[in-house]
Amino acid sequence: MREYDITTLYVDYGHLLEKDDVLADAIQKQYYRFLPYIRRALHNLVAEFEPEYLKLNPSAATTDSVNLQSREFNVAFYHLPLVSGIRDLRTDKIGTLMSISGTVTRTSEVRPELLFGSFICEVCGGLVNEIEQQFKYTEPSLCPNPTCGNRAAWQLQIDSSKFTDWQKVRIQENPSEIPTGSMPRSLDVILRSELVERAKAGDKCVFTGTFIVVPDVSQLGIPGGNKTELMREASKGNGTGGAGSIGSSGVTGLKSLGVRDLQYKTAFLACMVHNADGRAGTNIRGEEETEEEDGQAFARSLTEPEFEELRQMIESDHIYSRLVESIAPTVYGHDIVKKGLLLQLMGGVHKQTPEGMHLRGDLNICIVGDPSTSKSQFLKYICSFLPRAVYTSGKASSAAGLTAAVVKDEETGEFTIEAGALMLADNGICAIDEFDKMDISDQVAIHEAMEQQTISIAKAGIHATLNARTSILAAANPIGGRYDRKKSLRANVAMTAPIMSRFDLFFVVLDECDEKTDLNIAKHIVNVHRFQDDAIHPEFSTEALQRYIRYARTFNPKLTPEAADVLVEKYRILRQDDASGAGRNSYRITVRQLESMIRLSEAIARANCTSEITPAFVREAYSLLRQSIIHVEQDDIDFDEEELEGEREDRRPARVANDDSQDVEMSAAEIAAMEETEQSYNESMGIDGTTAVGQSSSRAASIAPARPAAQPARKKHMVITHDKYMQLQSLVVLHLSQIERETSRGMDRDELIDWYLELREDEIQDVEELEYEKELIAKLLRKLVKVRKVWLKVVFNSDVWFA
């Protein structure tokens, strides 16, 4: 205690049980009664071995013996064998030593508490020392001077009174302990001296101490509370004993409260606080505000077998892919999503610029997908895996509930801040399900937390900026329930552009029919239901994963020059794709996506336990970012179809009249293929080809033009992909605009076709291909004129027409 300059003696209850079980049992059953004696014993021990440590200022002992301040010593017990829940607290537990666990929801500021007061009598000036305070401000009942009968006029002598730090913490039951259909109970815990500021909002803690009953004095002064009774007492006092009676002098101590209706409330007086996870090693994200612990310190905190297992994991090959397989083992497949989740657990490196700006290191991920693609399973898994993870649902969460609410304190009547989900998940992950169902106004509340990682509040006279260094894992359904591949990601998801750019990764999970995959998924699910835990065999257990991630987070990887060059190049490619219009990406690539690639590269380097980011890591990050930008599937452009559309329109009514309405419209290509099949069949049967074609074409005449029977080779079909169509379109438009800039006039159609054919000269092999390309570009130009991409200028008998 002397060496570390602390005034609390920490006692492991297990050691006490081994040494003297009678004493341990007595302390456990009569803790509150024995507390003063335990403290006195500690005081005597210090006096015996370190007598100088008793006083705060021992050097002043010779000069000023009056103002010597003696220290207050405390004893803290921990590691009790049984940890109770808040619901188990009953009156028979009052005064016993016990441990309770709960989640901290609110902490008050640290205030001074008066332990022993020194009072000066205002009548005769005498000093009364060491007046013990009984849960409230207690004054002496009578002046010790026999000639002075003062009972009311006292003045507190602050410099010789003893104060200690005091903090009140509100804890709530852990979500796993709440019985069905019950509201979570909460309890006030009082922390004193060195225990203040040990627990922060959102922590799951174990408190050791005693359950106490406190007279609820605050009720007496509350307006509309027991004020009337006080008034009645005061008037009664005035009527009988004059102005100097006890009633008119206010409340001076518990004795003087008399037989008034006094409410009692329970609280928990803690002597020790520690994390519910036992060793801090399982807090896998590490507290960023303290200096990042080095790997050596973490390794020392492990037991021998754990350290050996960790060493083997680090030294083994392909650790990255094997870690991915061990994440969320109950979910079959979805390796890319699991990669994203692993990197989110690893996180990037938090950086701070010289100006004090924070650069975010946390990764935000959004999973978009069809129903029943195990999105919520991932969220639930992450919440059970991490000690500091908060699960909320989008529709049931308000903006204040996600960020922070300003509430009125019951006792003081002041406004205090109550932490919301994002604050409780500080240094953890906040999982938000049904993200697309959130109101837009509530989504806006997350903007600041997702990029700046703070929450700013200006309400009810409180101006505060709170930390929310959290990663956000969101799950959303597409508009209309299912993902439409013909639309872009932006059109599929009901989110605003600013929020979409704040997500580092989007995973689109599609429910596609595939016989092999469906079979494997069905087997997996049935086995999980049949054998439960035996059906799943992940390579690494959850505990091993937690230890590995905790160790990996001690690395701070740096970019190598080669990796930096690759990073810039990959970003340029992403931007080019976005701008050219050929890929039509689902959302604009912004500088945030460049930062996302840096963060992903750092997380991949951490997963591999290295301090250097190589180009291979950057490429992996690029492919992850790339896969979340699903290319929009466009229908192929069929020029033959479009030309025949008009003709089809004319003939359709007659056809509908003749045919059954259930018939499906056939494309020209299908009809041609059918003709060929029929013709070959007829030839094999020895039927004359001309009549057969004539017969078979009678139905197809409305769609495909009848061809001469003698023509042996079929004309190549004019179908190109949407991407190629976009490339050709941009090629033509750019060339035309360049010619227009140079000559201030357009270009002849035939000239344009010749220019295109010259451009493709090297690729064209024979005359047939040349004819095909020529017809293709002609039809393309016709389509471009039709969709108003190019103006067609027709010169007819020296009159100018525009189409």
Side-chain angles (χ1 to χ4, degrees):
M1 285 162 70
R2 170 75 189 262
E3 191 181 331
Y4 291 109
D5 196 32
I6 53 175
T7 58
T8 310
L9 178 70
Y10 295 98
V11 180
D12 190 331
Y13 191 75
H15 297 173
L16 194 62
L17 267 173
E18 285 173 26
K19 186 83 180 91
D20 188 346
D21 55 341
V22 178
L23 176 66
D25 192 47
I27 288 176
Q28 195 264 320
K29 288 198 167 71
Q30 305 270 334
Y31 172 74
Y32 198 60
R33 180 181 152 205
F34 286 155
L35 193 57
Y37 303 105
I38 296 171
R39 281 197 188 145
R40 196 178 305 156
L42 178 60
H43 195 276
N44 296 343
L45 195 71
V46 176
E48 188 181 331
F49 292 105
E50 289 281 354
E52 283 193 351
Y53 195 55
L54 283 175
K55 306 291 180 193
L56 285 173
N57 43 0
S59 56
T62 50
T63 54
D64 185 8
S65 58
V66 181
N67 289 334
L68 264 185
Q69 296 264 315
S70 61
R71 290 180 195 264
E72 274 294 315
F73 294 104
N74 295 308
V75 178
F77 294 95
Y78 62 101
H79 279 178
L80 263 73
L82 188 69
V83 178
S84 317
I86 296 176
R87 230 166 251 275
D88 308 332
L89 295 177
R90 295 281 180 271
T91 45
D92 59 335
K93 299 273 182 24
I94 291 171
T96 62
L97 182 66
M98 58 187 305
S99 291
I100 57 167
S101 69
T103 308
V104 180
T105 56
R106 194 195 308 178
T107 56
S108 73
E109 70 263 31
V110 178
R111 305 198 192 106
E113 183 189 21
L114 183 63
L115 290 178
F116 297 100
S118 294
F119 293 91
I120 295 176
C121 170
E122 287 182 351
V123 179
C124 67
L127 189 68
V128 184
N129 281 320
E130 302 277 318
I131 297 292
E132 190 178 352
Q133 304 295 303
Q134 308 172 334
F135 300 115
K136 61 180 288 301
Y137 185 57
T138 309
E139 293 178 341
S141 52
L142 183 66
C143 179
N145 187 350
T147 58
C148 162
N150 173 31
R151 287 168 176 270
W154 299 101
Q155 189 181 349
L156 180 67
Q157 180 86 5
I158 288 180
D159 54 349
S160 58
S161 299
K162 276 188 197 162
F163 290 91
T164 183
D165 292 327
W166 179 92
Q167 187 184 25
K168 191 167 76 175
V169 171
R170 192 70 171 279
I171 65 168
Q172 193 177 313
E173 274 182 299
N174 294 326
S176 54
E177 295 168 5
I178 305 172
T180 320
S182 300
M183 294 292 290
R185 300 257 173 96
S186 51
L187 178 73
D188 286 337
V189 175
I190 293 165
L191 304 175
R192 282 185 174 150
S193 64
E194 288 175 355
L195 294 184
V196 295
E197 298 293 353
R198 283 275 185 98
K200 292 184 285 299
D203 287 349
K204 287 195 180 78
C205 290
V206 172
F207 297 88
T208 306
T210 181
F211 190 46
I212 54 171
V213 175
V214 189
D216 195 359
V217 185
S218 63
Q219 291 288 327
L220 293 172
I222 289 178
N226 296 347
K227 200 67 171 266
T228 48
E229 289 187 26
L230 279 170
M231 297 289 287
R232 201 180 301 131
E233 291 257 340
S235 60
K236 201 190 316 176
N238 288 344
T240 54
S245 71
I246 295 170
S248 63
S249 65
V251 177
T252 54
L254 283 181
K255 284 202 181 93
S256 57
L257 285 174
V259 203
R260 190 174 295 145
D261 283 350
L262 184 60
Q263 301 291 320
Y264 285 92
K265 62 175 186 179
T266 55
F268 193 82
L269 185 61
C271 66
M272 178 67 187
V273 183
H274 62 85
N275 268 351
D277 308 310
R279 201 175 53 229
T282 45
N283 179 15
I284 63 168
R285 288 183 64 86
E287 295 291 313
E288 265 88 358
E289 67 260 19
T290 59
E291 195 59 42
E292 281 272 330
E293 59 169 332
D294 59 338
Q296 304 298 325
F298 174 62
R300 280 197 296 274
S301 71
L302 297 175
T303 62
E304 192 62 41
E306 289 173 349
F307 179 71
E308 193 57 38
E309 186 184 22
L310 181 65
R311 196 174 59 76
Q312 283 173 358
M313 284 172 78
I314 295 165
E315 290 171 0
S316 59
D317 297 333
H318 310 301
I319 183 67
Y320 175 55
S321 53
R322 286 161 59 202
L323 285 171
V324 171
E325 285 165 15
S326 299
I327 281 201
T330 50
V331 180
Y332 177 82
H334 295 317
D335 285 340
I336 288 198
V337 183
K338 291 181 182 179
K339 259 184 202 173
L341 294 182
L342 175 69
L343 297 185
Q344 188 177 34
L345 290 169
M346 292 289 178
V349 181
H350 287 267
K351 304 180 190 75
Q352 195 166 1
T353 59
E355 299 86 46
M357 291 270 297
H358 285 280
L359 296 179
R360 160 165 83 94
D362 290 313
L363 290 161
N364 296 326
I365 293 180
C366 184
I367 306 175
V368 182
D370 297 337
S372 80
T373 46
S374 67
K375 298 188 295 293
S376 300
Q377 287 292 107
F378 284 125
L379 269 64
K380 288 284 188 195
Y381 170 77
I382 290 291
C383 287
S384 64
F385 184 87
L386 265 183
R388 276 191 88 114
V390 176
Y391 180 90
T392 61
S393 180
K395 193 66 182 168
S397 309
S398 66
L402 281 171
T403 52
V406 175
V407 292
K408 205 168 191 175
D409 194 11
E410 301 128 12
E411 289 196 2
T412 56
E414 294 172 359
F415 285 103
T416 56
I417 294 173
E418 188 151 302
L422 289 175
M423 275 180 69
L424 293 177
D426 194 15
N427 284 324
I429 289 182
C430 182
I432 306 176
D433 208 352
E434 311 289 352
F435 194 72
D436 54 314
K437 316 281 190 308
M438 279 174 75
D439 296 333
I440 297 295
S441 56
D442 295 340
Q443 275 188 15
V444 172
I446 316 179
H447 276 206
E448 184 191 359
M450 283 179 77
E451 196 56 47
Q452 276 73 42
Q453 301 214 303
T454 54
I455 292 166
S456 303
I457 277 185
K459 296 177 185 170
I462 292 178
H463 300 279
T465 301
L466 312 161
N467 283 327
R469 289 154 305 187
T470 169
S471 307
I472 288 182
L473 175 61
N477 284 108
I479 295 172
R482 284 199 170 268
Y483 193 89
D484 185 357
R485 297 194 73 151
K486 297 283 169 64
K487 292 182 190 165
S488 64
L489 179 64
R490 168 78 60 75
N492 266 298
V493 185
M495 281 187 221
T496 55
I499 251 189
M500 285 185 76
S501 72
R502 279 173 166 81
F503 279 111
D504 297 291
L505 288 176
F506 269 93
F507 291 112
V508 178
V509 188
L510 300 175
D511 181 14
E512 291 174 320
C513 289
D514 177 64
E515 192 177 345
K516 193 177 174 189
T517 318
D518 291 348
L519 189 70
N520 289 337
I521 290 175
K523 275 185 185 169
H524 178 80
I525 290 172
V526 170
N527 285 342
V528 168
H529 279 274
R530 269 183 71 194
F531 307 114
Q532 270 95 32
D533 296 348
D534 301 337
I536 308 150
H537 303 290
E539 189 174 351
F540 306 120
S541 67
T542 304
E543 292 75 24
L545 264 179
Q546 285 177 335
R547 285 192 290 272
Y548 183 86
I549 291 175
R550 179 90 167 121
Y551 177 72
R553 284 184 67 86
T554 59
F555 287 89
N556 286 342
K558 300 272 187 295
L559 279 164
T560 56
E562 302 84 40
D565 295 342
V566 175
L567 193 68
V568 173
E569 178 61 23
K570 294 293 185 192
Y571 175 64
R572 189 189 64 77
I573 293 171
L574 280 172
R575 283 290 278 194
Q576 289 291 74
D577 265 16
D578 205 35
S580 67
R584 282 270 302 274
N585 278 354
S586 40
Y587 60 93
R588 261 196 93 64
I589 296 292
T590 61
V591 185
R592 283 191 178 136
Q593 271 57 51
L594 175 62
E595 290 190 337
S596 299
M597 274 167 72
I598 297 172
R599 280 192 287 270
L600 286 165
S601 310
E602 288 168 350
I604 294 166
R606 276 181 165 179
N608 289 297
C609 281
T610 62
S611 295
E612 278 196 348
I613 299 173
T614 59
F617 295 161
V618 177
R619 289 193 188 96
E620 169 72 15
Y622 168 76
S623 67
L624 264 174
L625 197 67
R626 188 66 199 233
Q627 64 74 36
S628 66
I629 304 163
I630 280 201
H631 279 288
V632 182
E633 280 193 4
Q634 297 281 5
D635 288 341
D636 292 344
I637 309 293
D638 191 336
F639 291 115
D640 295 354
E641 286 276 291
E642 290 185 3
E643 283 186 11
L644 297 168
E645 257 177 12
E647 189 180 339
R648 212 180 273 169
E649 291 296 324
D650 299 340
R651 308 238 179 160
R652 189 163 286 151
R655 183 162 170 215
V656 168
N658 298 339
D659 280 347
D660 189 3
S661 60
Q662 295 295 313
D663 277 3
V664 178
E665 193 73 69
M666 288 173 76
S667 69
E670 285 171 339
I671 287 171
M674 209 166 131
E675 279 178 18
E676 274 186 13
T677 326
E678 204 168 322
Q679 187 179 2
S680 60
Y681 170 75
N682 288 341
E683 282 170 5
S684 65
M685 297 298 286
I687 306 171
D688 179 33
T690 320
T691 56
V693 170
Q695 288 160 1
S696 69
S697 299
S698 60
R699 180 169 183 235
S702 60
I703 298 154
R707 52 168 191 152
Q711 186 181 333
R714 279 204 53 75
K715 191 177 69 173
K716 202 171 177 184
H717 200 53
M718 290 277 163
V719 181
I720 58 169
T721 63
H722 188 270
D723 278 1
K724 189 178 179 189
Y725 168 69
M726 296 301 286
Q727 282 172 349
L728 290 176
Q729 174 188 310
S730 52
L731 191 74
V732 169
V733 172
L734 284 169
H735 182 65
L736 279 176
S737 58
Q738 185 185 345
I739 296 287
E740 197 174 355
R741 272 200 304 276
E742 290 169 3
T743 62
S744 302
R745 49 191 294 276
M747 193 177 181
D748 192 57
R749 178 167 169 269
D750 295 339
E751 274 179 45
L752 190 61
I753 293 175
D754 292 342
W755 166 81
Y756 172 73
L757 293 173
E758 280 170 22
L759 200 68
R760 302 293 301 273
E761 198 169 16
D762 301 338
E763 299 169 24
I764 296 173
Q765 304 293 332
D766 49 16
V767 181
E768 192 181 327
E769 202 168 331
L770 178 75
E771 288 296 322
Y772 174 74
E773 289 290 340
K774 191 172 177 182
E775 193 177 345
L776 179 71
I777 189 72
K779 289 187 172 180
L780 176 86
L781 289 174
R782 206 173 300 149
K783 182 175 172 66
L784 289 181
V785 171
K786 193 173 168 189
V787 296
R788 301 269 179 96
K789 288 283 181 195
V790 180
W791 283 103
L792 180 65
K793 186 174 172 185
V794 184
V795 181
F796 182 71
N797 289 348
S798 75
D799 288 340
V800 179
W801 299 61
F802 278 100

